[in-house]
Amino acid sequence: MSASNKLPPEVAFLLEAAGSAPSADNSQPWCFEWDGQTLTARVHRRGGFPEDYHATTLALGAATENLAWAIQSLGLDMASWFFGPPGADGAFAQGRVTKPSTIPAGNDVPLWKQRHTNRLPYRPEIDSEVADKLTTCRVGKVEVRVIAGAGIRQAADWVRQASEVRFQTREVNEWFAASLRYGDSPQDLVSGLHVDTLALPPGGVGLLKLMSDWGRLQWLNRLRAYKLFAAIEAANFRKAPLVVAIIGPADRAAAFDAGRCLQRVWLRVTELGLSAQPYYVVADLLNRLESNSVPTQCVTQSSVLQERIRAEYGHENTLHCLLRVGTPVGEIQVSGRLPLNEIMCT
Ligand SMILES: Cc1cc2nc3c(=O)[nH]c(=O)nc-3n(C[C@H](O)[C@H](O)[C@H](O)COP(=O)(O)O)c2cc1C
């Protein structure tokens, strides 16, 4: 049985929780199976990112964290569930949905539904207790390091340098361009990255369209446009009141835990009435160095950056993601999600 309209309400509740997790470029790299007793969540490629891509594993971890929250709020037996990076069958979460389980009553919107990415600038002030509240969100060997003051300027420099490479990397640019949505058709609003969620300045949509073509971006890069784009990318980050670094071992199991940790931090941030925006560009560069997919002219600059990060966090660790945290100067359009019938495995 796969039709979503035949799902019991508690299963639909679990799917909605998992499916509302964040994912790079809103790629939503998952699908779900319900056989009447057992729910299975599997990795499922949508858009550019491969199934074993680091950012995909982070998103699966984030979906798992939401699922765990929802399982707990239904009062189900969490101990009988499997959670982990996908194996050969692609499953990253599996468990029985046993009766009786009741959907929590009340008008409170669950935290995982309130969380979203706010890309507007953040106000400079932040409560001094926030840092301590976020460092408790560790998962397994994956830790949360909170950065403030001069440390933010150093991390913003990492973001700027990694972005310079990102704007010279064809694959990243093409994946990003393919994820962009400009229209207002139902499909544009639920899949991919809608430009209305990006907090672009006037003229920003036109520039994005211009840069989306690799030939044109290469031409602009001859004028060193990548330096300007990277400085723009790092600007809001540099002014953030607080930054969070998710760090831990580089293996796939740790990447999955890093996704859970990222989402645990983000839910806590939401609970505290704050917002967050992930910056994946540095982690992406570190992974590209490992897979030899950094453009030749950027390898030296990238290796220097890698050494700086190792000096900061230790050779046994990698940086899985950065997040800026704070109170945004305004509201922003929220990304949509595929309806349940489109996230069932076929
Ligand atoms: C692994 C990962 C990497 C991300 N990287 C970035 C990023 O570099 N910049 C950014 O603005 N948003 C980033 N995001 C946020 C996603 O674009 C966002 O979660 C997605 O579009 C869905 O929107 P929502 O978070 O508002 O629900 C990232 C999210 C994840 C899970």
Side-chain angles (χ1 to χ4, degrees), residues 140-270:
K141 291 180 186 158
V142 176
E143 289 175 45
V144 176
R145 298 276 175 91
V146 174
I147 311 173
I152 295 187
R153 287 191 286 284
Q154 173 184 267
D157 232 44
W158 298 346
V159 169
R160 185 183 54 75
Q161 289 180 38
S163 290
E164 286 188 9
V165 179
R166 172 242 178 275
F167 287 112
Q168 297 175 78
T169 308
R170 181 175 187 160
E171 188 175 55
V172 182
N173 212 64
E174 290 185 342
W175 285 349
F176 178 69
S179 78
L180 289 174
R181 301 287 180 271
Y182 298 91
D184 54 9
S185 72
Q187 203 56 27
D188 277 347
L189 298 174
V190 296
S191 69
L193 203 50
H194 200 282
V195 291
D196 289 350
T197 67
L198 298 181
L200 295 170
V205 171
L207 185 62
L208 261 192
K209 285 186 176 164
L210 183 77
M211 294 164 62
S212 290
D213 179 84
W214 176 244
R216 280 196 296 256
L217 185 57
Q218 268 186 311
W219 187 87
L220 289 170
N221 279 346
R222 282 193 214 114
L223 309 171
R224 309 184 110 203
Y226 59 88
K227 290 217 169 250
L228 174 69
F229 299 146
I232 294 171
E233 172 108 351
N236 278 339
F237 187 95
R238 190 175 295 274
K239 290 192 222 133
L242 202 77
V243 161
V244 164
I246 311 285
I247 64 154
D251 57 88
R252 197 146 183 244
F256 186 82
D257 282 350
R260 290 197 70 168
C261 181
L262 168 76
Q263 182 67 352
R264 200 169 287 184
V265 167
W266 210 338
L267 292 173
R268 191 81 176 101
V269 162
T270 308

Side-chain angles (χ1 to χ4, degrees), residues 1-46:
M1 177 167 69
S2 71
S4 61
N5 56 5
K6 295 190 196 136
L7 293 174
E10 58 274 19
V11 174
F13 176 79
L14 295 175
L15 296 197
E16 210 192 322
S20 69
S23 55
D25 296 351
N26 203 19
S27 49
Q28 304 174 60
W30 40 64
C31 70
F32 302 90
E33 263 169 36
W34 169 245
D35 70 1
Q37 287 188 319
T38 301
L39 179 63
T40 307
R42 294 187 202 282
V43 61
H44 178 79
R45 183 173 181 159
R46 288 178 226 279

Side-chain angles (χ1 to χ4, degrees), residues 28-342:
Q28 304 174 60
W30 40 64
C31 70
F32 302 90
E33 263 169 36
W34 169 245
D35 70 1
Q37 287 188 319
T38 301
L39 179 63
T40 307
R42 294 187 202 282
V43 61
H44 178 79
R45 183 173 181 159
R46 288 178 226 279
F49 306 123
E51 290 185 349
D52 60 353
Y53 190 54
H54 176 260
T56 300
T57 310
L58 288 185
L60 302 181
T64 298
E65 188 63 16
N66 271 9
L67 194 54
W69 272 63
I71 290 168
Q72 227 160 7
S73 61
L74 286 179
L76 295 170
D77 173 22
M78 181 94 84
S80 65
W81 278 69
F82 156 78
F83 301 118
D89 65 353
F92 65 92
Q94 189 167 57
R96 282 165 70 93
V97 182
T98 45
K99 304 260 174 189
S101 51
T102 33
I103 297 173
N107 298 324
D108 288 352
V109 180
L111 263 187
W112 42 263
K113 228 177 193 166
Q114 296 172 42
R115 181 221 56 86
H116 66 276
T117 307
N118 193 315
R119 299 183 177 89
L120 287 167
Y122 294 171
R123 298 185 195 287
E125 60 282 349
I126 195 159
D127 194 323
S128 59
E129 289 173 8
V130 172
D132 285 346
K133 290 179 177 156
L134 300 185
T135 42
T136 57
C137 295
R138 64 174 297 159
V139 176
K141 291 180 186 158
V142 176
E143 289 175 45
V144 176
R145 298 276 175 91
V146 174
I147 311 173
I152 295 187
R153 287 191 286 284
Q154 173 184 267
D157 232 44
W158 298 346
V159 169
R160 185 183 54 75
Q161 289 180 38
S163 290
E164 286 188 9
V165 179
R166 172 242 178 275
F167 287 112
Q168 297 175 78
T169 308
R170 181 175 187 160
E171 188 175 55
V172 182
N173 212 64
E174 290 185 342
W175 285 349
F176 178 69
S179 78
L180 289 174
R181 301 287 180 271
Y182 298 91
D184 54 9
S185 72
Q187 203 56 27
D188 277 347
L189 298 174
V190 296
S191 69
L193 203 50
H194 200 282
V195 291
D196 289 350
T197 67
L198 298 181
L200 295 170
V205 171
L207 185 62
L208 261 192
K209 285 186 176 164
L210 183 77
M211 294 164 62
S212 290
D213 179 84
W214 176 244
R216 280 196 296 256
L217 185 57
Q218 268 186 311
W219 187 87
L220 289 170
N221 279 346
R222 282 193 214 114
L223 309 171
R224 309 184 110 203
Y226 59 88
K227 290 217 169 250
L228 174 69
F229 299 146
I232 294 171
E233 172 108 351
N236 278 339
F237 187 95
R238 190 175 295 274
K239 290 192 222 133
L242 202 77
V243 161
V244 164
I246 311 285
I247 64 154
D251 57 88
R252 197 146 183 244
F256 186 82
D257 282 350
R260 290 197 70 168
C261 181
L262 168 76
Q263 182 67 352
R264 200 169 287 184
V265 167
W266 210 338
L267 292 173
R268 191 81 176 101
V269 162
T270 308
E271 199 173 29
L272 295 169
L274 300 167
S275 288
Q277 179 187 4
Y279 283 71
Y280 183 65
V281 68
V282 180
D284 193 45
L285 182 62
L286 298 176
N287 281 293
R288 281 179 183 275
L289 271 175
E290 295 304 318
S291 60
N292 295 320
S293 52
V294 171
T296 321
Q297 77 275 16
C298 303
V299 169
T300 308
Q301 173 183 358
S302 306
S303 302
V304 170
L305 181 56
Q306 183 184 45
E307 276 315 307
R308 287 206 185 114
I309 291 167
R310 284 182 174 162
E312 185 71 28
Y313 295 126
H315 281 245
E316 70 285 9
N317 284 320
T318 193
L319 175 62
H320 287 284
C321 202
L322 288 164
L323 280 158
R324 71 179 170 111
V325 174
T327 306
V329 296
E331 300 283 309
I332 184 99
Q333 177 153 330
V334 175
S335 279
R337 289 295 188 278
L338 293 165
L340 293 190
N341 63 338
E342 287 187 40

